[in-house]
Amino acid sequence: MEVDHIFIFSRNNGEEADDLVDFGLMEGSSRVHPGQGTRNRKFYFGNFFLEVLWVEKESEIRSDLTAPTKLWERSQFEKNGCSPYGLCLVNSTSTDRLFKRSKIYQPDYFPEGMSIDIITNEQHPNLPWTFRLPYRGEKKASNEPIEHPNGMKKLTLVELEAPVNNEEKEFKNYFHSSKTIEFKDGNRTYLTLEFDKESQGKSKEFPELNLTINY
């Protein structure tokens, strides 16, 4: 399985992205998601992008269209203990079994007829909200900046830590053969991203995002 991007819900209207800029990342484009009620700030790399996401219009994210996605609940992670992470996978045959019983979500900001497969994990909300790209095959090229002052280039490993729950094994089992996505049992909900196989031997923590970057 290949990761397309990961979003992290913000505690403070996206201001945490300023820490990523100060760290030496070049910020890419941002967008509003009409009908979904969210806005983002993004950071692109050679094979991945990181998205800081927050709620801009509560009425939209809690609307009849968006409420079934449980994104509102995810955005309230500080109050309810949900994981603030969203894991987006490249749409390939290796993901078909994982998404066999997924829900269909057609956001207002998508063209008519285009939708995404989503796994809300609402029964186990300490696991990431998971979805895959709406189109099959290679990712679309973009003109986003991928040259960063700190020299980071490509994502090489995602580690998602979550409190131990023996009832969650089915979801995690889908990722056992993945070389780039790992789940770790722990006592917190936390994300660690490895870039370039830690070729620089450096590490940076971002407490406001529950994130560590090793590079």
Side-chain angles (χ1 to χ4, degrees):
M1 294 183 186
E2 183 180 358
V3 180
D4 180 73
H5 69 278
I6 289 176
F7 71 67
I8 306 175
F9 263 113
S10 165
R11 290 181 169 91
N12 197 21
N13 297 327
E15 290 186 11
E16 299 93 333
D18 293 339
D19 294 334
L20 296 172
V21 174
D22 292 342
F23 168 58
L25 297 183
M26 185 70 68
E27 187 167 357
S29 64
S30 62
R31 71 179 297 186
V32 173
H33 303 112
Q36 184 173 287
T38 55
R39 179 187 287 267
N40 67 21
R41 295 173 67 180
K42 294 177 289 182
F43 299 85
Y44 285 80
F45 303 88
N47 61 345
F48 164 83
F49 73 88
L50 180 62
E51 176 182 5
V52 178
L53 185 70
W54 67 97
V55 176
E56 185 172 67
K57 292 185 178 180
E58 183 177 334
S59 61
E60 290 185 356
I61 199 171
R62 302 186 74 176
S63 68
D64 290 344
L65 170 66
T66 311
T69 68
K70 303 302 179 180
L71 283 170
W72 167 252
E73 287 78 2
R74 296 291 179 155
S75 74
Q76 302 301 297
F77 64 95
E78 287 191 287
K79 299 176 182 178
N80 59 23
C82 282
S83 168
Y85 309 118
L87 175 65
C88 179
L89 303 173
V90 174
N91 191 329
S92 66
T93 56
S94 65
T95 64
D96 287 345
R97 191 167 62 93
L98 173 61
F99 288 92
K100 189 175 182 178
R101 296 192 298 272
S102 61
K103 295 182 179 180
I104 303 298
Y105 173 44
Q106 183 174 345
D108 276 351
Y109 57 90
F110 271 17
E112 184 68 29
M114 180 180 286
S115 62
I116 54 175
D117 300 320
I118 65 171
I119 298 171
T120 63
N121 274 324
E122 58 195 276
Q123 300 302 316
H124 305 294
N126 60 322
L127 294 174
W129 195 86
T130 304
F131 58 119
R132 64 177 176 177
L133 296 176
Y135 48 85
R136 187 78 101 186
E138 295 183 2
K139 296 184 287 188
K140 295 179 180 178
S142 72
N143 295 319
E144 300 286 352
I146 60 172
E147 298 293 329
H148 300 284
N150 61 20
M152 288 168 49
K153 296 183 183 302
K154 289 188 175 183
L155 180 75
T156 47
L157 183 65
V158 173
E159 181 187 87
L160 289 148
E161 182 178 347
V164 178
N165 186 330
N166 291 330
E167 296 178 357
E168 299 169 349
K169 290 181 178 179
E170 182 180 1
F171 177 84
K172 294 178 181 177
N173 283 343
Y174 287 110
F175 297 88
H176 276 175
S177 62
S178 174
K179 297 180 180 179
T180 55
I181 306 168
E182 294 182 357
F183 284 87
K184 176 183 176 181
D185 291 334
N187 56 11
R188 60 179 181 170
T189 301
Y190 202 82
L191 173 66
T192 301
L193 299 178
E194 175 196 274
F195 287 84
D196 309 316
K197 297 188 180 296
E198 301 185 40
S199 61
Q200 297 187 50
K202 298 179 180 179
S203 182
K204 174 67 175 177
E205 294 184 9
F206 300 89
E208 292 301 310
L209 291 170
N210 289 346
L211 168 69
T212 292
I213 292 178
N214 298 323
Y215 64 110

